[in-house]
């Protein structure tokens, strides 16, 4: 799913990213270098339980996320560089979207 992720204070700073909708992910998450490029600020660090049951800590911040013309401010996770960008359920719900399990 194509998304535009913007700095929540200055939306002229943005990136366009292909996100994988992941109903197992609470928050939207993108490699940290992309978020730093648009000056998203790390506000705290949170622990996450990964699919392989490991627990990792990652920085989080806030971003403005637009999909299909609708946008919201949401928590975003700074992932390692080799990670796949994901669209989490919090952002999905804030946007009024849902995953169709058949497609």
């Amino acid at each position: 799913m194509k998304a535009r992720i913007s700095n929540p204070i200055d939306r002229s700073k943005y990136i366009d990213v292909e996100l994988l909708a992941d109903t197992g992910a609470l928050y939207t998450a993108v490699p940290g270098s992309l978020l730093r490029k648009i000056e998203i600020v790390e506000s705290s660090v949170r622990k996450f339980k990964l699919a392989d049951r490991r627990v990792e800590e990652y920085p989080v911040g806030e971003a403005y996320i637009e999909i299909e013309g609708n946008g919201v401010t949401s928590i975003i996770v700074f992932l390692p560089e080799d990670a796949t960008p994901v669209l989490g359920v919090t952002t999905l719900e804030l946007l009024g979207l849902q995953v169709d399990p058949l497609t």
Side-chain angles (χ1 to χ4, degrees):
M1 178 171 287
K2 288 200 180 251
R4 174 163 288 179
I5 299 175
S6 305
N7 180 301
I9 296 167
D10 181 356
R11 292 191 196 156
S12 69
K13 297 174 183 175
Y14 67 88
I15 53 172
D16 292 322
V17 179
E18 188 71 28
L19 299 174
L20 173 67
D22 183 353
T23 58
L26 185 58
Y27 302 120
T28 297
V30 176
S33 65
L34 296 176
L35 299 175
R36 289 179 192 96
K37 179 179 174 183
I38 58 171
E39 300 177 12
I40 300 291
V41 176
E42 296 177 15
S43 59
S44 66
V45 175
R46 296 191 183 185
K47 291 183 181 182
F48 296 93
K49 189 172 192 176
L50 306 181
D52 65 5
R53 300 197 177 279
R54 287 182 298 130
V55 175
E56 296 283 344
E57 288 188 344
Y58 297 118
V60 298
E62 289 188 18
Y64 187 78
I65 303 169
E66 291 179 72
I67 296 175
E68 297 178 354
N70 296 311
V72 294
T73 300
S74 185
I75 292 174
I76 196 158
V77 180
F78 289 67
L79 290 176
E81 295 315 301
D82 59 347
T84 300
V86 296
L87 177 63
V89 294
T90 300
T91 307
L92 274 169
E93 290 176 358
L94 288 169
L95 289 167
L97 301 172
Q98 56 187 340
V99 174
D100 182 347
L102 299 176
T103 59

